Structures are given as structure tokens and as C-alpha cells.
Amino acid sequence: SVFLGRLTAEAFGDYAAGVNHVLPTSGTARFASSLGVVDFTIRSQALNIGPAGAAALDRAATVMARSEGLEGHALAVEARRAVEAARAAVGAEAGGVAPAAATVATAAPEFERSLAAGAREVFSAWGYREVGAPLFLPLEDLDPALGSNGLRDRLFKFVDPSGRIMVVRPDWTLPVARGAVAALRSGSGPLRLSYAGDVYRRGSRASALSRGGSGGWEGARIPQAGVELLGLKTTWADAELVTMAVEVLERCGLEGFTVCVGHAALAEAILAGLGADSPTVKAMRAALVDRDLVAWERLLARPGGEAGRAAAARALVAHRGDARGLAEAVDAASAFGREVTDHLGRLGEFASMLDAGGAAGRVVFDLGLVRDLDYYSGLVFEAYATGCGRPVLTGGRYDGLLSSFGLDCPAVGLGVEVDALAEALAAQGGAAGLTPPPLRTVEVGAGREIEAFTLAAGLRGLGLRVELRAEPRAGGQADGRTERAAAAVKGGGRR
């Protein structure tokens, strides 16, 4: 405080005039002021970037994000760039005004079904048999396998008339695996099972809005299609799933995608080898799931940690590259002993099988990849594409899950996040061959209904989509009572 004037005694300022007596000390007056009302207010920074600003900052932001290993940050920029380009293209076709639908918040159900159908064709070609699961499931049936991975907290629950607690299907893997136990016990394995349909999970409002919803049921719906391979614990079974994942995305017309492959058991062995207590290991695992490298570095540098192993863990978690780089990771892995080097060796065998199957060019090995479901026990993978900031496909090995249902049985699976795939495809300009053919119209004239039905049936037999419509009256619209003229076919674009 500054006291001015011959009558301004310090006691006035200290006790009576109202200026604050809490002053910065120890030299902090160089950058701080006396305590005031502003110190009890929240100051928030707001950022609103337009197209020109985004174009100017794009490269700097993505380069810096990737230099810190924050792939999701870089993809968030690239996804917005792709969607903005798609909107501009749609706007140009529509005379310069981009409709709100061009933001592609949620794919049309027809497009989602086309994508799921494309995935199912690939699954069938690999010998997978489609199965179903009820939308409403008794909680007690799934409870043994829910674990502590957070899925339990995202369930939609209700009580049925008999008093049982029911849940809306939150996941496909759990009911499919549980339903297969009886067949596996009888010696029917291995089983190749596929599925397609919605799951429902509660989540944050931000998560719901990213899926185009309002935070309620709409945002909680997640359309999926996937497979479960039960009863095989082999490297080639893992390679089968990842090769099939690449085929599915290529079949759906996706471009510019990468399948990131990690290993849950390898990551757990690294964490265990750091010698940290249980709460610290849990915090480290959470940091890897969230890709929070700042928290990861802080936890590695904790007091009492072994510097050599911390450096090795840092190098392994930061590893991201093709199969050739796995050999380089062995040196760092040796700090953790045989278990970690053995996992790396099996990843090398897996990479050779991908190469034989033609999928190696789409795969990147990311040893820091940790999934948010704790039932994964081995290989894990996620696929990302330009135009969408979240995975379009996920999967992995979960050898311990079926023991929750009373059967020790290895398993591996994958799931296509159909709405995320649709979002990526829309940002890239759609998917050739997956959109339905144009709708044709057959107009039904008075007295010629049989002819119209015959014509429509013939067109559908050729694989066309056909709609019957009453022919309009002269000078007006058809009213359903008076039609005239002959049945005629009219071609049309998409409706």
C-alpha cells in the first residue's frame, strides 16, 4: 500500500480506511500486489478460433503435440480440419451454404447399418458365426466379470417386476462370452462368434456430446459390430484378429487409418518392475490410459524410485514404430528381466504373421498403449483415422475373463465403433459401395395397379430400391383416391 499526504497515518490504512494490510513479503512485490477483492474471483481464459486462426496454428499444434507423445491432441486438430473441409465441400455444392447436417454429429442409421453389414461380410468370410444377446440382462449374470474398470459405474439399471436388478446391455463381450461357456465346456471349441448391435453406457456429458447426443440416452447409445475368438491362445489367433480388423476398415472404404498395437501384460510387468506401492502403480496405470505424460513423468520421478528402471520404463512407454523398432526396445526391456523381453519376442513373431497376411503396413507398435478395461491380459489394439478423434475399432486378448463365469478359457476379440467409423468416413467424403443405391419411384396410375406392382417387383429383382407412389392428378397432388395415367418408373437420387 502507498500512503499519500501528510495526514495519512499508517494506522488509518491498517485499521480504519479500508485498504488491505496483507502485503507481499520476501521480495514478491516485484510480481504480486496486496490482497484485494480480485484475489477472491475466478479468472478464466476463453479461446475461440475461427477458420483462419485454425489454419495458421494447425501445424505448430500438431507437431508439438506429437513431440510430447500426445497423439490424441494431434488427432483432435486433424479431425476438426477434416470436418471443416467436408463442410466447405458440401457448402460449395449447395451454393455456398453448408447445412448444419454437414457437421456429421451422428451418422444416419441407414449408413450405420451399411457399415455394420460390411463388417459382417468380412467376419463371415473368416468363418465367424453371428450370435445375439438380450438388450436387458440380469446384473447378477454379468457382475462376476465387471471388475473394477469403471464399466460398473456406467451401467443403466432398473428393477424388473420380479424384483431382479437388470441392466441395459453395456458391452457385447461379456454376454457373448458368458453364453458360450456351456458350448466350450462340452468341448465345442474353439468358437468364432460375431455380433452387431447397440450397447448403452452412461458417461460424461462431454463424451455424450462427442457422439452427437445431449448427454442422455441418445449420447449413451454406441452401435458396434465385432467378433470373439474363444478357446485359442496362440500368436496366430492374435494376428487373425488384427488382420481382420484391417480388412474390415478397408472394406468399409476408410483411408488414412493406423492400428496401434500394445500389450497389456508387458505394460503391467513394466509397472510392477518399478517397485512402487499399489496406489502409485494404480496412478501410473491411469496416467497411461489417459495418455497423461505429465503425470506419468511426475510419478516416474518420485522420491525413492530407481533411476535406471525409470529411464528404461520411459523409453519403452515412449516406443512407437513399426516391427523393426521392437528389436531396439529389447535393450531397455532387459532392465525388467525375462518376462518383458519374452513379451517383446512374441510381439516380433506376431509382426511376422501380420506381414504374411498383408496387414503389417497398417500397424504401429505402441508399447505405452493401455486400455481402460481391466480384463485385457495380452495383446491390445486400437485403430485411429483422420477425421475422428476417437478409436474407430478396439480389441485385445482377455484370457482371464471367462474364469469369472467358471471356465478357464483363452479369448481374444475386436469391436468396431460404428458411429466413430461413420464419422471418420463422412469427414473423408463417404464410403463408395456402402451407401444404398438411389431410390426409384414407380407411379401408380388408375386401373394399372397390377402393372405397377409387376414393374416394381422386376426392378427390385435387379437390386434396385423402388417406392410405389400415387401419380398426382392434373394440376394438383395425388389424394389417394383419383390417379390417372400409366404406371411409369422415375429414377432419382438419394432421398
Side-chain angles (χ1 to χ4, degrees):
S1 297
V2 179
F3 293 79
L4 304 174
R6 59 188 179 84
L7 297 180
T8 312
E10 184 177 343
F12 288 155
D14 290 352
Y15 307 120
V19 297
N20 204 290
H21 190 52
V22 180
L23 305 176
T25 58
S26 302
T28 56
R30 288 172 297 176
F31 54 82
S33 304
S34 58
L35 189 69
V37 173
V38 70
D39 296 292
F40 296 92
T41 61
I42 296 174
R43 298 183 295 279
S44 300
Q45 299 183 45
L47 185 63
N48 186 358
I49 296 181
L57 299 175
D58 187 303
R59 177 167 172 75
T62 54
V63 168
M64 293 184 70
R66 288 200 166 96
S67 70
E68 294 185 350
L70 301 177
E71 183 68 14
H73 282 43
L75 287 171
V77 174
E78 292 172 350
R80 285 163 173 79
R81 181 207 308 153
V83 170
E84 189 66 23
R87 292 187 66 192
V90 172
E93 292 179 4
V97 180
T103 59
V104 197
T106 303
E110 194 170 53
F111 188 41
E112 288 182 357
R113 286 194 295 271
S114 295
L115 294 178
R120 290 155 84 175
E121 287 180 9
V122 176
F123 300 157
S124 178
W126 281 77
Y128 285 76
R129 175 172 57 88
E130 188 162 343
V131 296
L135 182 60
F136 305 129
L137 301 157
L139 176 60
E140 61 186 353
D141 288 355
L142 303 184
D143 192 67
L146 285 175
S148 58
N149 54 49
L151 185 58
R152 184 186 301 275
D153 298 328
R154 301 173 67 187
L155 301 174
F156 284 102
K157 304 177 188 177
F158 64 95
V159 179
D160 73 1
S162 69
R164 287 190 308 174
I165 299 177
M166 306 291 289
V167 299
V168 184
R169 185 174 59 223
D171 176 88
W172 272 101
T173 297
L174 298 181
V176 169
R178 184 181 184 279
V181 165
L184 290 166
R185 277 205 181 103
S186 68
S188 299
L191 296 179
R192 285 177 167 84
L193 306 176
S194 68
Y195 59 81
D198 297 338
V199 298
Y200 291 84
R201 298 176 191 163
R202 295 170 55 193
S204 67
R205 180 172 176 81
S207 174
L209 291 174
S210 75
R211 296 183 179 276
S214 59
W217 279 92
E218 182 184 359
R221 171 183 167 269
I222 307 170
Q224 292 184 337
V227 301
E228 313 295 344
L229 174 50
L230 311 175
L232 278 179
K233 188 174 184 177
T234 62
T235 302
W236 62 261
D238 294 344
E240 174 177 319
L241 267 288
V242 174
T243 303
M244 186 165 28
V246 171
E247 285 191 19
V248 165
L249 298 180
E250 289 179 343
R251 166 67 181 82
C252 291
L254 191 64
E255 300 175 353
F257 69 87
T258 299
V259 181
C260 299
V261 172
H263 200 288
L266 184 150
E268 288 299 321
I270 292 172
L271 295 178
L274 290 171
D277 57 29
S278 180
T280 302
V281 170
K282 184 177 180 180
M284 287 178 167
R285 187 182 299 110
L288 292 179
V289 168
D290 295 337
R291 295 287 186 167
D292 186 348
L293 297 187
V294 174
W296 166 248
E297 287 289 342
R298 175 175 52 79
L299 291 163
L300 277 181
R302 73 194 187 286
E306 186 181 329
R309 288 201 168 188
R314 183 179 293 109
L316 286 169
V317 166
H319 176 86
R320 194 172 190 275
D322 60 20
R324 290 170 295 182
L326 292 175
E328 301 170 5
V330 172
D331 291 338
S334 61
F336 294 94
R338 183 70 178 271
E339 183 180 2
V340 174
T341 55
D342 283 352
H343 287 315
L344 280 175
R346 282 188 285 273
L347 281 177
E349 296 172 13
F350 165 81
S352 299
M353 293 177 187
L354 289 184
D355 193 34
R362 292 288 194 177
V363 172
V364 168
F365 290 90
D366 182 354
L367 301 186
L369 175 62
V370 177
R371 297 292 317 283
D372 59 350
L373 298 174
D374 65 1
Y375 54 61
Y376 287 112
S377 58
L379 189 91
V380 291
F381 51 93
E382 295 178 340
Y384 290 89
T386 302
C388 183
R390 52 197 171 104
V392 297
L393 181 149
T394 62
R397 177 161 289 281
Y398 52 95
D399 290 338
L401 180 66
L402 272 75
S403 63
S404 303
F405 301 125
L407 180 68
D408 187 14
C409 178
V412 61
L414 71 82
V416 181
E417 304 292 332
V418 177
D419 59 338
L421 175 57
E423 183 180 328
L425 283 165
Q428 294 179 7
L434 285 174
T435 51
L439 182 68
R440 265 69 175 185
T441 299
V442 170
E443 293 185 348
V444 184
R448 307 193 69 174
E449 292 85 352
I450 300 300
E451 183 181 346
F453 265 70
T454 302
L455 176 59
L459 292 171
R460 292 192 188 98
L462 296 174
L464 301 177
R465 300 166 66 231
V466 181
E467 174 189 53
L468 290 172
R469 182 180 299 175
E471 187 177 60
R473 294 174 298 169
Q477 297 296 317
D479 60 4
R481 297 188 301 271
T482 306
E483 298 92 3
R484 65 181 184 81
V489 63
K490 295 188 177 180
R494 294 191 189 94
R495 281 166 45 87

